[in-house]
Amino acid sequence: MRHHSKRCNLRLMTRFVMQLIAASLMAACGGGAADGDVARGQQVFSEHCVACHSVSSEVVIVGPSLAGVATRAAANRDNLQPRQVLRRAILSPQAEIVEGFADLMPPDFERRLVEADLEALLSYLMTLE
Ligand code: HEC
């Protein structure tokens, strides 16, 4: 009897340890996916945005430099999260025109970017603090 319960405990312990390992593996993979997101976002940026936007504060092309854009988005006065401000700036550029610039941002990114690429792009832009 005693012997039997010990084995049960061992089996429970093993299961517990396996679950711990699985959980930490998932956490590790989650972190990896987030990094991948930023890399993918940078790629999306270079495909769709670099023609008009630099990420260096000294270089202005057609649109404003996006250096520090995450910080500017955080200071937005419309009660939105920075990520939402950036999403709106991309999907509805007419909603808020940056002072000193013309309304030249293409209005059709909603159609041209799949959701996963848009999310990756937002993750990348959020690193531009
Ligand atoms: C054809 C040129 C052009 C392209 C391509 C373009 N933009 Fe823009 N963008 C502009 C212009 C011009 C403005 C300023 C006018 C305005 O606010 O709409 C702007 C404004 C912005 C702003 C607001 C900046 C701020 O400081 O608040 C963000 C964010 C932005 N663009 C992101 C992007 C992203 C991301 C892409 C690629 C998916 C992109 N833009 C592609 C021209 C462009």
Side-chain angles (χ1 to χ4, degrees):
M1 210 40 217
R2 212 164 170 199
H3 187 70
H4 174 77
S5 75
K6 235 187 203 157
R7 259 203 358 233
C8 273
N9 281 347
L10 193 68
R11 196 176 296 159
L12 276 177
M13 280 283 284
T14 309
R15 188 186 295 167
F16 178 68
V17 169
M18 294 304 275
Q19 279 170 354
L20 267 185
I21 292 173
S24 52
L25 274 178
M26 267 157 72
C29 290
D35 289 349
D37 238 10
V38 170
R40 173 65 194 145
Q42 192 162 15
Q43 200 180 338
V44 174
F45 185 81
S46 67
E47 283 164 21
H48 294 280
C49 321
V50 284
C52 296
H53 293 285
S54 88
V55 292
S56 147
S57 56
E58 285 104 67
V59 182
V60 174
I61 315 172
V62 177
S65 159
L66 296 188
V69 76
T71 307
R72 289 200 292 284
N76 191 282
R77 59 209 170 282
D78 304 341
N79 232 342
L80 293 173
Q81 294 295 313
R83 211 178 156 97
Q84 287 178 293
V85 172
L86 293 175
R87 172 182 280 269
R88 184 183 64 176
I90 297 166
L91 298 184
S92 319
Q94 285 74 26
E96 191 181 2
I97 308 289
V98 179
E99 212 185 308
F101 287 89
D103 179 13
L104 289 174
M105 180 140 162
D108 60 348
F109 281 120
E110 178 111 59
R111 187 171 56 71
R112 282 159 62 196
L113 295 174
V114 297
E115 182 61 23
D117 282 353
L118 176 62
E119 285 296 332
L121 179 60
L122 289 171
S123 296
Y124 168 63
L125 294 177
M126 288 301 290
T127 68
L128 305 177
E129 293 179 314

